[in-house]
């Protein structure tokens, strides 16, 4: 397993190891597709590698089992708990299931000295579940280590944040990005185009390249944001008209909302990590913070309406008109 990009996160992990103070709870933050799970696997290997070196050898039994997600002492509770929770026969609440899981972690690990618990989607867990987890990480057992994964910091409780060491996972630079694309069979010219589009987000670019034609909503969303940044209402309308179903409009508005939020962050001097950097950068240089904020609020309102609106074409036209209104007011 070769890791492309993510140099700052890897350097931090190596610093922790070298200083002999490896945090017992880490939180990897970054956009979807950026490679948080790759870094989480790498970290789990740092614990489980049997070669005894400073970096995981990626060849021993421990490393291989981590890579295949079959190591008995590396557990991924969230997807498992969600699956149990979804079964209609299960009368337990999500919180009870999380408590059951925590209780199971008081038993010593199977194979070695440590158990690694990889908690995905920390930012999507309810306040109640986060509070349940808090007790768990506040009183750590010497054989448990925690790796949390989240896209956004905001929904995470301050009390939880104060107990974990957060590490931002950055997009790849163009050299690393191109190598990763080459490994996916993508040529240099296309890789450059994808780099511009996804600002070094390898996962998002690879998915787009594979399913691009199906991702009409993504293409539409990017074209809409470009047209708004350029003040071209007709192009914006054309882009909206490529969205043929309610689901497409819904998904596109979700992305557009993200891009507006990123543009507002950029405008306030916060560098946004993640995909769509081209569009958010474009908007932040063409529009004022007030206009971007109005655009964002309008996109959120339309996003909420997209569930209920019966006529897709009319609604698409309305979206275009009201976003332009918001931008120009
Ligand atoms: Zn190894």
């Amino acid at each position: 397993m070769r890791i492309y990009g993510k140099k700052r996160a890897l350097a931090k992990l190596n610093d922790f190891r070298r200083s002999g103070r490896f945090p017992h709870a880490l939180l990897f933050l970054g956009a979807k597709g950026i490679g948080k799970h790759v870094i989480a696997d790498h970290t789990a290997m740092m614990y489980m590698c049997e070669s005894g070196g400073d970096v995981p050898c990626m060849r021993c039994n421990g490393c291989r089992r981590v890579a295949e997600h079959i190591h008995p002492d590396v557990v991924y509770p969230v997807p498992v708990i969600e699956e149990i929770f979804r079964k209609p026969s299960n009368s337990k609440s999500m919180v009870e299931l999380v408590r059951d899981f925590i209780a199971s972690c008081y038993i010593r690990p199977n194979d070695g000295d440590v158990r690694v618990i990889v908690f995905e989607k920390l930012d999507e867990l309810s306040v109640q579940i986060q509070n349940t987890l808090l007790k768990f990480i506040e009183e750590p057992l010497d054989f448990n280590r925690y790796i949390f994964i989240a896209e956004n910091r905001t929904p995470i409780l301050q009390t939880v944040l104060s107990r974990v060491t957060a590490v931002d996972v950055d997009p790849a630079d163009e050299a690393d990005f191109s190598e990763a694309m080459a490994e996916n069979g993508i040529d240099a010219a296309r890789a450059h185009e994808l780099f511009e589009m996804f600002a070094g987000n390898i996962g998002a670019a690879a998915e787009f390249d594979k399913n691009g034609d199906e991702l009409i909503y993504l293409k539409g969303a990017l074209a809409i944001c470009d047209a708004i940044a350029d003040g071209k209402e007709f192009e914006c309308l054309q882009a909206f008209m490529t969205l043929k179903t309610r689901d497409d409009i819904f998904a596109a508005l979700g992305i557009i909302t993200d891009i507006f939020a990123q543009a507002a962050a950029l405008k306030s001097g916060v560098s946004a990590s993640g995909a769509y950097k081209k569009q958010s950068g474009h908007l932040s240089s063409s529009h004022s913070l007030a206009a971007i904020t109005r655009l964002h609020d309008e996109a959120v309102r339309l996003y909420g309406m997209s569930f209920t609106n019966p006529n897709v074409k009319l609604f698409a036209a309305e979206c275009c008109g009201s976003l332009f209104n918001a931008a120009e007011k």
Side-chain angles (χ1 to χ4, degrees):
M1 190 181 78
R2 160 124 197 244
I3 298 186
Y4 295 99
K6 308 181 228 331
K7 292 193 179 98
R8 285 204 311 169
L10 287 171
K12 259 198 172 171
L13 292 174
N14 290 337
D15 285 349
F16 293 146
R17 162 148 290 181
R18 251 179 262 123
S19 69
R21 278 194 297 262
F22 210 87
H24 84 280
L26 281 161
L27 163 63
F28 293 118
L29 281 164
K32 186 174 179 338
I34 211 85
K36 302 180 292 298
H37 291 81
V38 174
I39 283 282
D41 282 356
H42 179 86
T43 311
M45 285 178 193
M46 288 174 94
Y47 286 117
M48 299 304 176
C49 182
E50 293 158 9
S51 76
D54 267 349
V55 285
C57 73
M58 302 193 184
R59 282 186 303 273
C60 71
N61 198 28
C63 285
R64 277 193 291 111
R65 287 196 292 175
V66 171
E68 291 169 32
H69 286 202
I70 53 168
H71 198 295
D73 294 326
V74 182
V75 286
Y76 301 81
V78 171
V80 178
I81 288 170
E82 275 182 343
E83 199 175 312
I84 299 169
F85 183 64
R86 262 188 235 112
K87 289 186 182 138
S89 60
N90 199 304
S91 56
K92 286 193 174 178
S93 73
M94 191 91 162
V95 175
E96 284 173 313
L97 290 168
V98 171
R99 284 209 187 106
D100 287 353
F101 165 74
I102 291 173
S104 75
C105 292
Y106 281 80
I107 305 163
R108 292 201 72 85
N110 293 298
D111 269 22
D113 300 329
V114 290
R115 171 189 292 114
V116 180
I117 301 158
V118 186
F119 250 98
E120 300 169 54
K121 306 184 191 178
L122 179 59
D123 49 347
E124 292 177 32
L125 300 178
S126 70
V127 169
Q128 210 184 354
I129 292 177
Q130 288 192 45
N131 271 321
T132 310
L133 282 176
L134 186 61
K135 279 218 143 337
F136 187 40
I137 46 177
E138 266 177 341
E139 302 152 9
L141 293 164
D142 58 1
F143 46 78
N144 284 338
R145 304 286 183 277
Y146 310 91
I147 299 173
F148 295 98
I149 294 174
E151 284 181 31
N152 300 302
R153 195 184 284 259
T154 325
I156 304 172
L157 296 178
Q158 271 307 322
T159 43
V160 172
L161 282 173
S162 69
R163 298 276 184 316
V164 301
T165 303
V167 175
D168 289 314
V169 184
D170 296 325
D173 61 25
E174 185 155 8
D176 279 329
F177 182 87
S178 307
E179 272 190 63
M181 292 300 110
E183 200 182 59
N184 281 288
I186 296 167
D187 68 31
R190 174 72 173 153
H192 178 70
E193 197 181 298
L194 289 168
F195 181 78
E196 293 285 301
M197 219 164 147
F198 291 98
N201 185 322
I202 292 169
E207 200 204 331
F208 180 75
D209 190 71
K210 212 165 75 192
N211 306 312
D213 291 338
E214 292 156 36
L215 301 179
I216 288 167
Y217 62 91
L218 177 56
K219 274 190 182 162
L222 300 179
I224 288 163
C225 289
D226 278 333
I228 291 172
D230 290 333
K232 292 181 173 161
E233 191 164 357
F234 182 66
E235 283 180 13
C236 181
L237 183 64
Q238 279 181 316
F240 262 112
M241 288 303 153
T242 62
L243 307 171
K244 303 273 187 254
T245 67
R246 191 190 310 219
D247 284 350
D248 278 344
I249 294 196
F250 178 65
L253 283 169
I255 293 168
I256 291 166
T257 307
D258 277 355
I259 292 172
F260 291 161
Q262 280 183 31
L266 278 174
K267 207 75 190 173
S268 319
V270 183
S271 80
S273 76
Y276 326 128
K277 222 177 217 168
K278 181 175 165 236
Q279 281 71 23
S280 54
H282 196 172
L283 257 163
S284 77
S285 51
S286 64
H287 284 69
S288 67
L289 181 59
I292 295 169
T293 308
R294 284 196 304 271
L295 277 166
H296 177 263
D297 293 348
E298 188 56 21
V300 170
R301 187 184 73 84
L302 293 165
Y303 183 76
M305 280 172 64
S306 56
F307 287 111
T308 50
N309 218 288
N311 187 317
V312 173
K313 268 203 164 158
L314 269 178
F315 182 57
E318 184 194 331
C319 286
C320 178
S322 60
L323 287 175
F324 262 82
N325 250 336
E328 281 160 12
K329 226 184 275 171

